[in-house]
Amino acid sequence: MIVEGTKNLLPRPQNPSEKMKKNTFKVLFYLRGNHVNKDGTSAIMIRISIDGEIEQLTSKLYVDPKVWDTKRGRANGRSAKILELNGRLQDIDVSNI
């Protein structure tokens, strides 16, 4: 049967209560706040979320918690060391592509 119009071209869920699943991808950087090294630095952790499933791993990068901006997920400052650290985090963060 041929149906005219564009409304019927979109796929519809079998059950009206089902919603189409939204594909999501998110990368978040945060400090491992429960552990500070002897030199005063904390590990930068990575949380990757894909369609609601979460995986956490370490970046093997360390930063002084005093310069960490939790909201941005980056270190504050303009020193060469901080610029290099933020550059590495940017390289890891493929979600900004």
Side-chain angles (χ1 to χ4, degrees):
M1 177 163 119
I2 299 175
V3 180
E4 293 183 22
T6 58
K7 286 185 178 181
N8 294 324
L9 295 177
L10 298 175
R12 295 185 184 259
Q14 298 295 328
N15 183 352
S17 64
E18 287 182 24
K19 292 187 177 181
M20 295 183 81
K21 190 172 183 178
K22 184 177 179 182
N23 294 329
T24 60
F25 179 78
K26 177 98 174 149
V27 177
L28 173 77
F29 297 105
Y30 66 97
L31 288 187
R32 183 176 171 199
N34 62 346
H35 181 76
V36 178
N37 295 330
K38 290 180 183 177
D39 63 358
T41 60
S42 291
I44 300 173
M45 303 296 291
I46 306 168
R47 181 178 296 136
I48 301 172
S49 173
I50 301 173
D51 296 337
E53 293 187 31
I54 297 171
E55 187 68 34
Q56 299 180 108
L57 53 137
T58 182
S59 67
K60 299 194 179 191
L61 299 171
Y62 298 86
V63 68
D64 184 346
K66 295 177 202 166
V67 299
W68 185 254
D69 184 347
T70 304
K71 194 171 189 177
R72 288 183 343 148
R74 301 287 191 271
N76 288 326
R78 302 293 298 168
S79 71
K81 190 174 182 179
I82 289 178
L83 291 175
E84 179 184 357
L85 174 73
N86 286 337
R88 286 185 176 192
L89 293 175
Q90 185 66 35
D91 290 343
I92 295 170
D93 189 2
V94 295
S95 67
N96 287 335
I97 294 176

